[in-house]
Amino acid sequence: MTTGLHPGETPQDPRPTGNQTLPRQERIGPGTPHSDNRTRSSVITARAAATFDPVGRSVATARSFVRDTLQGWGFADIVDDAVVLTSELVTNAVIHAGTSADVLCLRSDDGVRIEVADRYPEREIPLQGSPVNMGSPDREGGRGLQLCAALAGRWGVEYTPTQKQVWFQLELPHRAVGTRSAGPSLPADLLPLADGRVRVAVIQIDRAGSIAAWNEDSEELFGYAPESVIGKPLTDLAAWPHTPGTSTGIVEALQLSRWEGSYGIRGANGRVTPVYASHLRVRDTDGEPSTVCLLVRDHERAVLQTPLRGSSSDSTSSAEGPNTDPFEVFIGSPAPDDLDGLLQRTVERARDMLDADSAFLLLATDDETELEVRASTGLPSARQRFARVPVEAGPGRYGSARMPAVHDDLSAVPGAVPLLSGTGMRSVVTVPLKVEGRLTGSLGVAAESPGRYTNEEALRLQFAADRIALAVESARLGELERLRRGSLSFLVEASDLLAGTLDRDQTLALMAQMTVPTLATWCAVYTIADQASDPYLSYVLHEDEDRIDGLKALLSKISPPDPVPTPGARVWSAPAEAAHQAALRTSMRSLGLNAPTTTVSSGIGTTLATAAAVGGETVVLPLVARNRVIGMLTLGKPTDEHFRQEILELAEDLSRRAALALDNARLYSERTAISQSLQRSLLPPELPEIDGVEVEVIYRAAGEGNEVGGDFYDLFPIRDGAYGFAIGDVCGTGPEAAAVTGLARHALRLLAREGFGGPAVLERLNSAILDEGARSRFLTLLYGELWPQEDGSAVLKVVCAGHPLPLRLRQDGTVEAAAEPQPLLGVLEDLELYEQTITLDPGDVLLCVTDGVTERREGTRMLGDDGLTDVLKTCTGLTAGAVAARIMRAVERFASDAPSDDMAILAMRVPGLRKN
């Protein structure tokens, strides 16, 4: 948040003018459209501006900003309405529109005007004169405008091509001359005590801070004659500060539009008189600003003091009562309902209470070994957020966050407070936050000048820390509970997603997509193939897709992180350093300067945007599975950002699950590749071309990843002019059945080429299967020998051992079985098989299938032999390839489920006369 307060000046109106302003909608009171520019011509006497980031805590911070601004201007009567309206409008900007919010407070003679602007780029600009539709009051959207209509004297909406601005004006309540707010009636013994006549010193200070007027009561109170003090700076007489808790010096206080507080005036006798002062900034008839100071003795402050407000933390003198809590503003007015809002308000109030230049608050990790920066103000960069420092930074009490510490000059002890290194802060006081004796955090304030703080300030800050510690711890535990619930849900969902795939590339993509943007701004996954291999950049993802290529180019040019198996996240600085060097080279080349030699190649082409994307904290988590580092998960933040400890712990849990999923995917891929390689070795080579016979085979193995199952086929030359063919089915599926498949196919070829006939070949194969013992499986087999003839026909000798009978399709469309059934193999030791001879005439088709075709089921229905015959009858005149394809389509369409059994189709057709 950036703020600026400039009382007593007449600045240029920051709103768009001329052609920049698009159609404006303005309201007066609750309803009627009106075009009134009176507020634009009013004289602005003070302004305050602030910008709030698009995060939830900004709403509470904006409320505090508006409240403090209006109370500082003395407009307590309209504070509540202004805070309510600002809260709604800032919520619309940072929560619903998702952009930063600009808040501008303008004080004029008409009242107070507050403007809230957001930068939502896709907003549709309304047409000129279009009415405002605020919808139902029960609906959340549009409620801010309804409140403006109800509470503000004037309000309006203005659009520009880049932002929407909602403004409202609150009028100061009318009071008759001589009237003011009154307090309750009090018994006489409770009235404040005054020493005789109450004297009010009236002192006027000119632009330069010198005394311009000095009344009689001033002379009576302090002993100076007017001529002896007029023209002298008030700072020569003031002893500042007198009351602990004042947040500014006398010179700054004289520049504020209105200020109340305590300090001392050094009298003519040399003694300091405690006074309570009320300063009012005015202008004379020439327009020159000056300050009128009303001063009374400090114990008579009731004459001037404005009733205490909830956010006041200025005075803590005895006149306010012994039970006043100087830090109650942290828990009251009201306390923010979120941890970040509470911490931010804490550091702002701590800074103001000790008149500091900066303040910071750190929360302890669960093991109390480190402190994590959660809120800061006045430090030069937001990079400190979520940075971690050790609890014990050095020996002795001053190096431990468990004890209060005051450092008069940090330049004399460099590194004493690591958080403030390079910030320009010289003096600092830090105190612990403890709950039931346990360290929960540390609160510190710092100043740019040395020697600003003593033990007295440390005690006051410790008292404040004790008051806020319980509220902070309660809010922290609530946040941790929400984070842990979210973490459990996140890990459950991540585990489900990772368990749902065994594909390596998909697992890598899931790992990255689950971390970005939930855990990090960008992510890179390195994989390690084996112990002898170097890490390989396998996947890169950024929440902004336009930056992925630049990020990948950057990471590919630097050495990968070391594959250290130590669990937990470790910081990796190489990407940020490389990005900085590359961006520096790019910038220098654009200016025509000679870029320095760096370790990063100039061919990276990294832009400044890429450098900003990886300029924050980068951490590496090892991917360890089965006691081996298989890769690294790298998470990164943009410039000047750190990871929260809870996020790192969640990332570590995710990395363990992701590593196991990635290793499972690797093992599955390796085993699938081995299985497929072995299975492919069991398939026959390319089918030979047979002159005069068309041959087509379709083979489908059941089961994911299986290329070979229990069904098999083969077609091979035996000798000149003779070919052997086979189609069989081993009991079962999978690798065990495939082993018998390999045995059968190779035995058939060997025995047939040795000159054995069909029955002898099958009898010897039967013996070989039985020799396998417990590993043996029964086998159905159709084996035959084919001799193409000169007249265009073909002679076949077949043996059908327990296999579905081959079907013969004649040219006239009739279908008949082409063999007789015989005993299957692998069951009986003594088989007596015989072969049958058939002749295929030109145009005839011989169809051989396994039982996976005929036993195709849909519920209680089965395709069967009759169904296969009906399909084959429709194949008259088709080629062998067309016949096989039509049979397969019919089988697939018969049932909607995937096949549960292997299927093989062998079709042979005799087209006609042989080629010459």
Side-chain angles (χ1 to χ4, degrees):
M1 183 187 77
T2 57
T3 62
L5 179 64
H6 308 285
E9 64 178 354
T10 309
Q12 197 77 14
D13 194 338
R15 296 179 297 276
T17 58
N19 295 330
Q20 294 177 348
T21 303
L22 294 177
R24 177 167 60 96
Q25 296 172 340
E26 186 172 348
R27 295 284 189 262
I28 294 182
T32 313
H34 181 73
S35 183
D36 184 2
N37 290 329
R38 184 165 65 91
T39 58
R40 292 180 176 272
S41 60
S42 301
V43 176
I44 299 173
T45 57
R47 67 188 296 270
T51 299
F52 302 93
D53 296 331
V55 292
R57 65 177 181 274
S58 293
V59 179
T61 310
R63 288 196 297 263
S64 299
F65 165 70
V66 172
R67 182 186 300 277
D68 292 347
T69 298
L70 298 190
Q71 287 178 342
W73 289 348
F75 294 160
D77 295 325
I78 60 174
V79 164
D80 292 336
D81 288 349
V83 167
V84 169
L85 295 179
T86 303
S87 179
E88 287 295 328
L89 297 180
V90 173
T91 299
N92 290 340
V94 303
I95 302 299
H96 301 304
T99 76
S100 59
D102 298 328
V103 179
L104 176 64
C105 301
L106 300 173
R107 187 189 70 181
S108 65
D109 49 4
D110 297 311
V112 173
R113 173 180 172 125
I114 298 178
E115 302 174 354
V116 179
D118 64 59
R119 303 186 180 93
Y120 189 61
E122 288 86 9
R123 180 180 293 102
E124 180 181 358
I125 298 178
L127 299 176
Q128 176 73 33
S130 59
V132 177
N133 180 15
M134 293 180 289
S136 168
D138 297 327
R139 187 171 62 87
E140 184 176 358
R143 190 168 59 196
L145 299 183
Q146 290 180 343
L147 288 174
C148 287
L151 300 179
R154 291 178 176 81
W155 66 277
V157 183
E158 298 178 0
Y159 293 86
T160 73
T162 58
Q163 70 175 17
K164 169 191 173 185
Q165 181 186 90
V166 181
W167 63 269
F168 60 88
Q169 180 162 329
L170 298 174
E171 310 290 344
L172 296 176
H174 258 321
R175 293 198 183 100
V177 175
T179 64
R180 59 168 293 169
S181 59
S185 59
L186 291 175
D189 57 347
L190 296 181
L191 294 177
L193 181 65
D195 295 338
R197 175 187 170 185
V198 176
R199 297 185 180 274
V200 179
V202 180
I203 306 173
Q204 190 162 356
I205 311 299
D206 61 18
R207 177 195 288 269
S210 300
I211 299 173
W214 185 270
N215 73 339
E216 294 179 0
D217 282 355
S218 302
E219 183 177 356
E220 183 67 27
L221 285 173
F222 309 122
Y224 294 108
E227 58 272 13
S228 64
V229 294
I230 290 178
K232 292 184 178 181
L234 181 62
T235 53
D236 289 352
L237 307 180
W240 182 278
H242 174 70
T243 300
T246 50
S247 60
T248 185
I250 184 65
V251 176
E252 290 79 6
L254 293 175
Q255 298 297 317
L256 296 178
S257 58
R258 185 177 183 86
W259 183 87
E260 289 183 20
S262 299
Y263 52 90
I265 295 294
R266 187 175 293 102
N269 59 4
R271 300 179 60 184
V272 174
T273 302
V275 297
Y276 188 84
S278 175
H279 297 178
L280 178 64
R281 190 78 162 160
V282 297
R283 289 187 300 164
D284 59 22
T285 54
D286 297 328
E288 287 294 320
S290 62
T291 302
V292 174
C293 304
L294 307 179
L295 292 83
V296 297
R297 297 182 181 91
D298 192 66
H299 63 273
E300 297 172 346
R301 63 171 57 202
V303 176
L304 300 178
Q305 186 176 29
T306 301
L308 288 177
R309 299 184 292 268
S311 62
S312 175
S313 60
D314 283 343
S315 274
T316 58
S317 66
S318 59
E320 298 178 20
N323 296 324
T324 299
D325 185 355
F327 225 63
E328 71 176 328
V329 64
F330 291 174
I331 350 179
S333 70
D337 54 2
D338 63 307
L339 177 62
D340 289 336
L342 178 63
L343 299 182
Q344 191 61 36
R345 183 177 294 187
T346 298
V347 295
E348 291 172 357
R349 295 301 188 267
R351 177 197 60 189
D352 294 344
M353 188 179 74
L354 295 187
D355 189 19
D357 296 311
S358 65
F360 52 89
L361 193 149
L362 304 88
L363 294 184
T365 55
D366 291 339
D367 57 5
E368 296 184 21
T369 60
E370 287 186 312
L371 295 168
E372 188 176 62
V373 180
R374 292 297 303 271
S376 62
T377 181
L379 294 178
S381 174
R383 62 182 169 82
Q384 309 294 347
R385 184 165 168 78
F386 298 124
R388 288 169 295 281
V389 297
V391 170
E392 308 293 342
R397 59 166 294 181
Y398 294 108
S400 173
R402 303 180 188 277
M403 298 292 291
V406 178
H407 293 276
D408 291 331
D409 192 349
L410 290 178
S411 62
V413 280
V417 183
L419 181 64
L420 300 180
S421 298
T423 62
M425 300 297 157
R426 298 282 298 278
S427 54
V428 60
V429 53
T430 60
V431 297
L433 275 69
K434 292 186 177 181
V435 175
E436 298 180 350
R438 184 174 59 87
L439 179 69
T440 61
S442 177
L443 176 63
V445 297
E448 295 178 354
S449 57
R452 284 283 297 275
Y453 303 113
T454 64
N455 289 341
E456 180 183 352
E457 281 82 7
L459 290 175
R460 291 180 51 229
L461 189 61
Q462 183 67 71
F463 180 66
D466 292 342
R467 298 294 297 170
I468 197 61
L470 187 59
V472 169
E473 180 67 3
S474 176
R476 187 182 76 90
L477 292 176
E479 182 190 66
L480 284 177
E481 181 63 24
R482 290 190 296 273
L483 282 174
R484 283 167 182 161
R485 283 202 207 110
S487 299
L488 287 175
S489 300
F490 173 79
L491 290 174
V492 168
E493 182 179 359
S495 299
D496 289 343
L497 290 173
L498 291 171
T501 180
L502 287 172
D503 181 83
R504 176 182 177 276
D505 293 337
Q506 189 173 2
T507 302
L508 289 172
L510 284 174
M511 289 171 57
Q513 291 166 6
M514 284 185 294
T515 57
V516 176
T518 306
L519 304 181
T521 304
W522 63 270
C523 166
V525 183
Y526 292 85
T527 56
I528 303 174
D530 53 62
Q531 296 295 335
S533 301
D534 293 328
Y536 174 74
L537 182 61
S538 299
Y539 202 91
V540 176
L541 184 65
H542 193 284
E543 64 180 5
D544 184 353
E545 293 184 359
D546 294 337
R547 298 186 180 181
I548 293 178
D549 292 339
L551 178 59
K552 186 182 299 183
L554 174 69
L555 295 177
S556 63
K557 296 296 182 180
I558 61 178
S559 299
D562 295 330
V564 178
T566 306
R570 68 181 192 276
V571 177
W572 185 33
S573 59
E577 294 173 356
H580 175 73
Q581 293 175 4
L584 179 62
R585 293 179 65 90
T586 301
S587 300
M588 295 186 69
R589 284 197 301 269
S590 66
L591 297 174
L593 302 175
N594 293 325
T597 302
T598 64
T599 59
V600 180
S601 170
S602 60
I604 290 181
T606 304
T607 63
L608 294 176
T610 303
V614 301
E617 188 175 53
T618 301
V619 297
V620 178
L621 297 106
L623 298 175
V624 180
R626 299 175 176 90
N627 298 321
R628 187 173 72 89
V629 180
I630 63 171
M632 286 87 69
L633 177 63
T634 303
L635 307 179
K637 285 282 190 179
T639 301
D640 295 340
E641 288 195 22
H642 292 263
F643 284 97
R644 299 183 58 170
Q645 185 64 31
E646 294 85 357
I647 295 298
L648 293 179
E649 293 172 358
L650 181 58
E652 187 175 355
D653 286 339
L654 176 64
S655 68
R656 285 194 290 267
R657 290 166 170 79
L660 189 59
L662 184 62
D663 199 47
N664 288 339
R666 178 188 63 83
L667 292 175
Y668 177 78
S669 299
E670 290 178 356
R671 292 178 182 179
T672 300
I674 293 173
S675 175
Q676 291 176 348
S677 176
L678 292 175
Q679 291 180 57
R680 281 192 295 269
S681 69
L682 299 176
L683 292 175
E686 293 183 1
L687 299 178
E689 291 187 7
I690 303 176
D691 191 16
V693 179
E694 296 175 357
V695 180
E696 182 65 27
V697 175
I698 297 180
Y699 182 81
R700 301 284 171 81
E704 182 181 357
N706 289 334
E707 294 188 17
V708 175
D711 291 5
F712 69 96
Y713 67 93
D714 203 358
L715 179 65
F716 54 91
I718 300 176
R719 51 189 172 269
D720 292 341
Y723 296 86
F725 67 90
I727 183 169
D729 184 1
V730 179
C731 174
T733 60
E736 295 83 0
V740 179
T741 296
L743 171 65
R745 192 173 68 80
H746 292 293
L748 286 174
R749 287 192 173 215
L750 179 63
L751 294 171
R753 287 171 177 170
E754 287 294 322
F756 292 98
V761 169
L762 268 61
E763 290 170 0
R764 285 164 172 76
L765 177 59
N766 180 64
S767 299
I769 294 175
L770 292 174
D771 288 343
E772 293 292 312
R775 296 181 299 175
S776 66
R777 290 171 176 261
F778 65 81
L779 167 67
T780 68
L781 180 63
L782 172 66
Y783 174 75
E785 295 179 358
L786 169 67
W787 287 272
Q789 304 298 310
E790 292 291 338
D791 60 357
S793 63
V795 176
L796 293 86
K797 293 181 178 181
V798 297
V799 180
C800 186
H803 198 77
L805 299 179
L807 299 179
R808 177 180 182 177
L809 172 64
R810 295 184 180 273
Q811 283 187 313
D812 59 3
T814 60
V815 176
E816 62 185 10
E820 296 176 355
Q822 300 185 58
L824 52 77
L825 307 180
V827 178
L828 302 175
E829 292 185 1
D830 296 326
L831 290 180
E832 294 184 2
L833 303 175
Y834 59 90
E835 62 184 8
Q836 297 173 271
T837 303
I838 59 174
T839 301
L840 295 181
D841 297 326
D844 288 356
V845 175
L846 184 70
L847 177 67
C848 310
V849 300
T850 58
D851 61 5
V853 175
T854 56
E855 294 180 2
R856 177 73 163 150
R857 293 180 179 275
E858 175 69 20
T860 58
R861 298 186 308 118
M862 187 172 71
L863 180 63
D865 296 334
D866 294 338
L868 180 61
T869 299
D870 293 339
V871 177
L872 185 58
K873 288 179 179 179
T874 66
C875 299
T876 304
L878 299 181
T879 64
V883 172
R886 179 169 292 187
I887 297 297
M888 181 55 71
R889 280 199 304 272
V891 172
E892 291 175 341
R893 292 174 180 174
F894 186 80
S896 58
D897 295 337
S900 59
D901 196 5
D902 305 325
M903 293 186 294
I905 300 174
L906 172 61
M908 293 183 291
R909 177 176 178 270
V910 181
L913 293 176
R914 297 177 62 182
K915 298 178 183 178
N916 293 328

